[in-house]
Amino acid sequence: MVEGLAHLARSRYEEDRRPAGHASVWGSWFDAGSGRWGYACCRRTSRAAAACCSLGSDSAAESTAGPPAGAAGELAAVTDWRPREEFETAEGFVAHAARFFASRWRRWQEDGSAGRRAAGVDPTVAKVLISSSTASEVARGIEVVCERLGARAVPVELVEHLEEFCSHVAAREYAQANKAYMEIIMGRRKWLADVPYLVEGNRNGPSVVQNVAERLNKTNSNPLDEAGIRDHAVCLKRLLTVSQAVQPNEDPSKNCG
C-alpha cells in the first residue's frame, strides 16, 4: 500500500457485504443490455431490490427469484411457492408472493391453462386472463412494488395489508383477499362510509357532501401515495382475478364476485 494512504478506503462500498435477503454482493452481475450492475443471485439491477431469498440465509440455492424474463425492469420469475414462515420480514414474503403470482399467470398462458379456463368465465375476465400484454404490464408493475418493498419505502400498515392479501390469495380465500385489497386502496380514507349518512341527514344538498369528502381526503393520506405505488395497486386486483379464474375455491362463498 502506498505510504500515507493507509487511511483511505479501498472501495466506495463495504467489500464482500451481502445485503439481507440476497445470496450475492451488489455488483456481482452486470446486465449488458442496460449497462447496469446488480446482484448475481436474482439478476436485479436496482441496489434496493427486494429480497430474493430467505433473509438470514447464506445459500444461493435458497434464492426464490430466478433471472428476469427479459429486459431490465421486468419481473424476476419465481416458480416455487414459499410460505410466510420462511421469510424473516413481511416485505420479503410479499415480494416473493407477488412475483410468484405474476410468474404463475405467465406459465398458465404458456401451458394453455389460461385459455382453457377462459371459456368458462366472464368475457371481461377471459380477455384479461389470456392477454399476454396485460400479464407483462402487471409483471412490470409488480416489480416496482417489490423494489419499493426492498427499499423499506412502504408504510408498515400497508405492508400488513399486502401480507394479508398475498396469504389469502395463496390459500384461495379470494373473498378475504378482496377485503384486504379494499383496505389497501382505501387506506385511512374512511369518508365513503359516512357519505350515505351525510346524504340522508343533510338538507343542503350534494355540494355539502362533496365539500366534506374533499376535506376528509386532504386530511387523510393514503399509504399507497406515501409508498409511491398507487398506480400499481390495480396489478394486485388483476392477480386476484386471474388466480380465482384458474383456481377457484370449491366453496363459492370464498370466491369474490
Side-chain angles (χ1 to χ4, degrees):
M1 182 175 293
V2 179
E3 184 178 357
L5 298 181
H7 65 287
L8 297 179
R10 290 181 297 174
S11 172
R12 178 181 176 184
Y13 302 109
E14 182 180 349
E15 295 184 18
D16 299 324
R17 179 179 179 276
R18 288 178 292 180
H22 287 281
S24 59
V25 298
W26 169 256
S28 56
W29 181 73
F30 181 75
D31 182 1
S34 64
R36 299 173 64 186
W37 291 95
Y39 297 99
C41 55
C42 60
R43 298 190 180 182
R44 302 308 308 158
T45 55
S46 169
R47 188 174 179 81
C52 67
C53 60
S54 299
L55 297 181
S57 169
D58 290 329
S59 173
E62 290 194 358
S63 173
T64 61
E74 289 193 4
L75 186 79
V78 177
T79 58
D80 298 318
W81 172 257
R82 305 187 70 171
R84 172 64 180 89
E85 56 267 24
E86 292 191 16
F87 294 87
E88 184 176 322
T89 67
E91 288 89 347
F93 168 70
V94 172
H96 161 73
R99 283 172 170 149
F100 174 83
F101 297 145
S103 298
R104 183 175 63 176
W105 183 0
R106 285 180 167 177
R107 293 196 299 275
W108 283 339
Q109 290 181 336
E110 293 170 358
D111 67 17
S113 298
R116 289 190 293 272
R117 288 295 301 170
V121 299
D122 181 87
T124 302
V125 174
K127 184 177 180 179
V128 172
L129 184 59
I130 63 177
S131 172
S132 59
S133 61
T134 301
S136 295
E137 179 185 353
V138 168
R140 289 190 293 271
I142 289 300
E143 200 56 38
V144 173
V145 174
C146 290
E147 291 189 357
R148 298 299 290 168
L149 287 165
R152 299 295 191 270
V154 181
V156 174
E157 64 178 293
L158 179 53
V159 172
E160 292 175 351
H161 291 313
L162 288 168
E163 179 182 1
E164 183 181 5
F165 172 85
C166 291
S167 297
H168 286 316
V169 172
R172 302 189 189 183
E173 296 278 353
Y174 301 117
Q176 291 299 316
N178 192 56
K179 289 179 61 177
Y181 174 74
M182 294 305 297
E183 289 289 339
I184 290 170
I185 61 173
M186 285 296 297
R188 292 185 289 270
R189 295 182 177 181
K190 302 300 183 183
W191 65 267
L192 283 177
D194 296 329
V195 170
Y197 167 78
L198 291 170
V199 172
E200 294 173 3
N202 197 304
R203 298 181 179 180
N204 294 319
S207 61
V208 173
V209 176
Q210 181 178 353
N211 290 336
V212 172
E214 290 177 351
R215 175 172 55 80
L216 289 174
N217 272 338
K218 289 179 180 178
T219 57
N220 291 278
S221 61
N222 190 303
L224 284 173
D225 297 319
E226 296 175 31
I229 56 175
R230 169 170 287 282
D231 292 342
H232 307 292
V234 68
C235 296
L236 300 173
K237 181 63 174 180
R238 286 181 172 169
L239 291 178
L240 166 58
T241 299
V242 167
S243 295
Q244 179 176 293
V246 179
Q247 293 184 337
N249 196 301
E250 294 180 357
D251 181 350
S253 68
K254 295 185 177 182
N255 294 320
C256 60

